[in-house]
Amino acid sequence: SSDLVQVGRHAVWALRKVKSAVMASSQMILRCTKTGRLFFTTAEATEHAEAFGKEYANFDEVGMDHKVWVAAETGRVCYSEADVGKMKVRDPDSKTWEEKTVAYLLELQKKKDAAIARKERFFKSVDTKKLEIMTSAKNLGKNRSAKALYHTKAVGTIEAAEAWLAENASAPDLDKLTDEFVEAALAGSSGDVDMPDANADVDMTPEVDDRKVGDPNPPEIKEKINQDLLKQVMEMGFTEVRAEKALYTTDNVSLEHAVNWLAEHAEDADIDLPLKKPAAPKPKMSKEEAQMKALELQKKLREKKAEEERIAEKEKEAARKESTRLMAEAQVKAKEEERKRAIEQQMREKEEHERHKAELKERLRQDYIERFGCEPPEDKEEEVVKEKSSKDQLAFFLQKLKKTYKDTDKEGLKTCLNTLKIYIKNLHENPLEPKFKKLKLDNKAFQTRIAPYDGAIDVLDVLGFEKKADCLEQRKSTPDGWLCGQAQKFIDLILGQI
C-alpha cells in the first residue's frame, strides 16, 4: 500500500542520517528513538520501521558502551531503567537485573551464533542422507536422530540408530544438544579418519567425467532401485534416468519423496546426466562382525545406563538419609519444646498454688487480727521448708532468689543463676571428678556471682555441698543426678521468665 511505501521511505531516510557516522565503524548499532530498542544491522532497523509505522522509523547511533539491563534468571533485555520496572511486573521470574553494555550483548550474540554454527557442523558430520530419512520419513526429531547416528557410526545403519534410540528412550536429555556434547563430538570426529596404506600405490590421475545426456545410469545404481516405485514415477512422465536418480538419492523411501526431489532439482544443469559410478565400497564387515559390533555397542549402552542408575540411586539414598536426619532433629526439637512447655505448665500451676496459699494466709492473718487485735506470730518459713523434699527446697530457694533480685538486680540475678547452672551441670555430667566436688570460697567468680545473693548458697546446700573452712565440698560420694537435673530445669525456667 502507499502508506507502507511511505514508511519504508521514511525508514531509509532516517537510516541515511546515521550512515556517514557508521561508515567508519566496524559494527553499526542503531537505537529506535521511540522504543529504545537496539538494532545491529540496517535490515533489522528497516524491518522494524516497516512493521510498526512512521513513528518508529527514527534512529540514532549508539556506542559500544551504551547501557542495557539484562535479567540474570531469564536473559531478558531492557533498554532503560523504566523498562526494567515494567518488565518486573510483566515477568515475575525476571528478578535480578544487571547493568551491562552493548559490547556485552554483541559478545553474547557471537557466542550464540558460534554455538549454532557448531550444531550445524555436527549435523553435517553424521550421515546426512540417513539423518534426512530419520527426520522426514520416520518423523523422528533432528537432535535425537543425529545423536543416534553419531553413537552408532561404527555400525552405520538406520536400524542400529533406532536400536540406540529405543535403548535411551527414557534419557532426559535425549532431544538436547548441549555445547559440551557438540564440542566433544566434533573433537572426536576429527580423529575418525581412515588413513590409506603408506606403501600402497596412489593414483594421481585426475578423474575424467565422460557422462553424456542419454546415457543410462551405471548398473551399480540400477540394481539398488525399487522397480515398483520406478514404474510409478515413470508413469508420471519422468524419464528413466531422472526417476532412478530421484529414487537412488532418497533411498527408495517413498513415491512422495522421489517426486519432491525431482521438483526441487528440476532446474539443475546435470538433471539429465546419469549418476556417476559409485566408488568401490569399503570392505564390509561380515554378519558375525556386525553382530559383535552391535552387541558391543549395546553392552556399552547398558553399562552406561547401569552407571547412571547407580549414581541416581546413590543420590536418592543420600537424600533419604538427609531427610531422616532432619526428621530426627525435628522430633528431638519437638520433644524438647514439649518438655519445656510441661515445665512451664508445672511452674504456672505451682505459682497459682502459691498465690492461692498466700491469699489464704492473708485471710487467716486478718481473722487473727479481728479476733485478738494484734498481728499473728511470724512463721519461720525457712525452717518449715527444710522439712520438705529436696525438690521443694530447690524450688523455694530459687524462687526466693527470683523474688528478691528480679526488680533490683536483674542482670546480677541472671549471672548468679547461670553460674549456679554451670556448677550443677559440671557435677551432673562428671559425678566422680574431684575438681567439680569442691567450690573454693575465695574464688573471684564465687565471691562476685554467688556469695552476695541470698539463697544461692542454700541451693548448693540442698544439692549436697557442705561448708568447710575454705570451700564448699560435696558431702555425698555420688551426687544426686536426678536432683541436679531438676535444678537445671528450674533455673532454665526462671531465666526464661526474667
Side-chain angles (χ1 to χ4, degrees):
S1 66
S2 59
D3 290 341
L4 187 59
V5 172
Q6 289 294 328
V7 170
R9 287 175 178 171
H10 190 87
V12 172
W13 173 80
L15 292 172
R16 283 175 179 169
K17 290 197 301 180
V18 297
K19 185 175 181 181
S20 58
V22 172
M23 291 296 290
S25 174
S26 60
Q27 177 65 53
M28 178 177 60
I29 305 117
L30 300 177
R31 182 179 66 87
C32 174
T33 56
K34 181 75 174 177
T35 64
R37 184 178 173 186
L38 301 180
F39 302 94
F40 300 102
T41 65
T42 53
E44 291 178 355
T46 304
E47 183 180 353
H48 173 76
E50 291 176 350
F52 293 100
K54 184 167 62 177
E55 294 180 359
Y56 296 83
N58 291 313
F59 302 93
D60 292 331
E61 186 189 12
V62 297
M64 299 292 280
D65 58 349
H66 184 76
K67 291 181 180 179
V68 295
W69 287 262
V70 180
E73 294 84 4
T74 61
R76 285 184 178 274
V77 179
C78 287
Y79 304 103
S80 68
E81 292 186 273
D83 290 343
V84 171
K86 295 176 184 177
M87 187 58 70
K88 284 182 178 179
V89 176
R90 288 167 50 193
D91 185 5
D93 292 335
S94 300
K95 299 175 183 177
T96 309
W97 290 84
E98 301 174 345
E99 185 178 298
K100 301 291 184 180
T101 62
V102 170
Y104 170 82
L105 291 184
L106 282 174
E107 187 63 28
L108 198 63
Q109 187 60 44
K110 287 179 182 177
K111 290 180 180 178
K112 290 181 180 178
D113 292 343
I116 293 172
R118 285 195 298 272
K119 287 184 181 180
E120 289 301 321
R121 283 174 54 206
F122 171 68
F123 288 137
K124 291 178 182 178
S125 71
V126 300
D127 191 320
T128 53
K129 186 186 292 185
K130 291 184 176 66
L131 179 62
E132 183 181 356
I133 292 171
M134 291 181 72
T135 54
S136 58
K138 298 184 178 292
N139 294 321
L140 296 171
K142 188 174 183 179
N143 287 354
R144 62 168 56 191
S145 297
K147 289 175 78 172
L149 289 169
Y150 168 77
H151 285 294
T152 59
K153 61 184 177 182
V155 180
T157 65
I158 292 178
E159 291 76 13
E162 290 177 329
W164 185 90
L165 287 173
E167 188 83 20
N168 294 271
S170 59
D173 59 346
L174 185 61
D175 289 301
K176 295 179 182 178
L177 284 178
T178 62
D179 290 340
E180 294 79 5
F181 170 80
V182 172
E183 289 175 2
L186 292 175
S189 64
S190 63
D192 296 337
V193 180
D194 293 331
M195 299 298 292
D197 185 355
N199 298 319
D201 295 332
V202 180
D203 186 5
M204 302 298 291
T205 306
E207 182 181 359
V208 178
D209 187 0
D210 57 354
R211 296 175 298 160
K212 300 187 296 294
V213 174
D215 288 347
N217 283 308
E220 294 85 352
I221 300 294
K222 288 180 173 289
E223 66 183 15
K224 295 182 179 180
I225 303 301
N226 184 310
Q227 296 302 312
D228 292 335
L229 289 175
L230 176 64
K231 182 178 179 182
Q232 294 178 50
V233 175
M234 292 180 64
E235 286 176 352
M236 297 176 70
F238 296 102
T239 64
E240 183 177 8
V241 169
R242 290 194 179 193
E244 288 175 346
K245 288 177 73 172
L247 290 169
Y248 180 80
T249 305
T250 59
D251 255 4
N252 297 299
V253 172
S254 68
L255 177 64
E256 181 182 358
H257 279 74
V259 173
N260 287 341
W261 186 92
L262 286 166
E264 291 172 2
H265 297 81
E267 303 301 325
D268 290 358
D270 62 348
I271 185 66
D272 289 311
L273 287 175
L275 290 168
K276 291 182 180 180
K277 182 178 179 180
K282 295 180 181 179
K284 292 185 177 180
M285 290 185 291
S286 66
K287 186 176 180 181
E288 291 76 12
E289 290 175 332
Q291 288 177 345
M292 290 294 293
K293 207 69 170 169
L295 290 172
E296 182 181 351
L297 177 62
Q298 291 174 359
K299 180 182 178 182
K300 289 181 179 179
L301 293 174
R302 284 194 296 269
E303 290 174 351
K304 180 182 177 183
K305 187 175 181 180
E307 178 64 15
E308 291 173 351
E309 290 176 351
R310 186 188 67 77
I311 293 173
E313 187 63 29
K314 186 176 180 181
E315 292 175 351
K316 184 179 178 181
E317 178 64 16
R320 184 191 66 78
K321 289 181 178 178
E322 179 65 12
S323 176
T324 303
R325 184 184 68 80
L326 293 175
M327 187 179 297
E329 289 180 357
Q331 289 175 348
V332 170
K333 186 176 179 180
K335 287 181 179 178
E336 181 63 19
E337 290 176 353
E338 184 179 355
R339 184 185 67 79
K340 288 182 179 179
R341 286 195 297 269
I343 293 174
E344 289 173 357
Q345 178 64 24
Q346 290 175 0
M347 293 303 291
R348 283 195 295 270
E349 292 174 355
K350 186 177 182 69
E351 288 175 356
E352 178 65 23
H353 173 72
E354 293 294 334
R355 186 185 61 78
H356 178 70
K357 182 178 177 182
E359 290 175 354
L360 182 59
K361 184 177 180 181
E362 179 62 21
R363 285 200 298 268
L364 292 172
R365 190 181 74 84
Q366 293 295 337
D367 289 344
Y368 189 92
I369 292 173
E370 289 178 5
R371 291 175 61 189
F372 301 102
C374 62
E375 290 286 342
E378 293 184 4
D379 291 334
K380 294 183 178 180
E381 190 175 13
E382 292 191 14
E383 293 297 328
V384 175
V385 166
K386 289 183 178 180
E387 297 176 359
K388 295 185 177 182
S389 67
S390 297
K391 180 180 175 182
D392 289 338
Q393 291 182 48
L394 274 176
F396 172 79
F397 289 117
L398 287 170
Q399 285 295 329
K400 179 181 178 181
L401 275 168
K402 173 186 171 185
K403 291 176 182 177
T404 306
Y405 299 103
K406 69 175 182 178
D407 297 324
T408 59
D409 188 8
K410 182 183 289 187
E411 293 305 317
L413 174 60
K414 287 182 180 179
T415 303
C416 175
L417 290 172
N418 280 314
T419 305
L420 282 173
K421 183 179 176 183
I422 292 171
Y423 289 161
I424 298 167
K425 184 178 179 182
N426 287 338
L427 183 66
H428 188 198
E429 294 179 353
N430 306 277
L432 302 179
E433 185 65 40
K435 68 178 181 180
F436 295 128
K437 291 185 177 184
K438 285 185 179 182
L439 302 175
K440 292 186 178 181
L441 297 176
D442 59 354
N443 180 272
K444 186 177 178 181
F446 186 88
Q447 288 290 331
T448 57
R449 301 178 185 179
I450 301 296
Y453 294 91
D454 186 23
I457 294 179
D458 293 317
V459 171
L460 294 172
D461 180 67
V462 173
L463 291 168
F465 283 96
E466 185 177 15
K467 189 172 182 180
K468 299 290 185 179
D470 61 344
C471 67
L472 294 180
E473 185 176 0
Q474 180 63 221
R475 69 172 69 93
K476 299 178 182 179
S477 59
T478 303
D480 190 334
W482 179 84
L483 193 59
C484 289
Q486 292 297 312
Q488 292 178 75
K489 291 178 183 178
F490 288 154
I491 291 173
D492 283 337
L493 184 59
I494 293 174
L495 285 170
Q497 292 173 345
I498 64 173

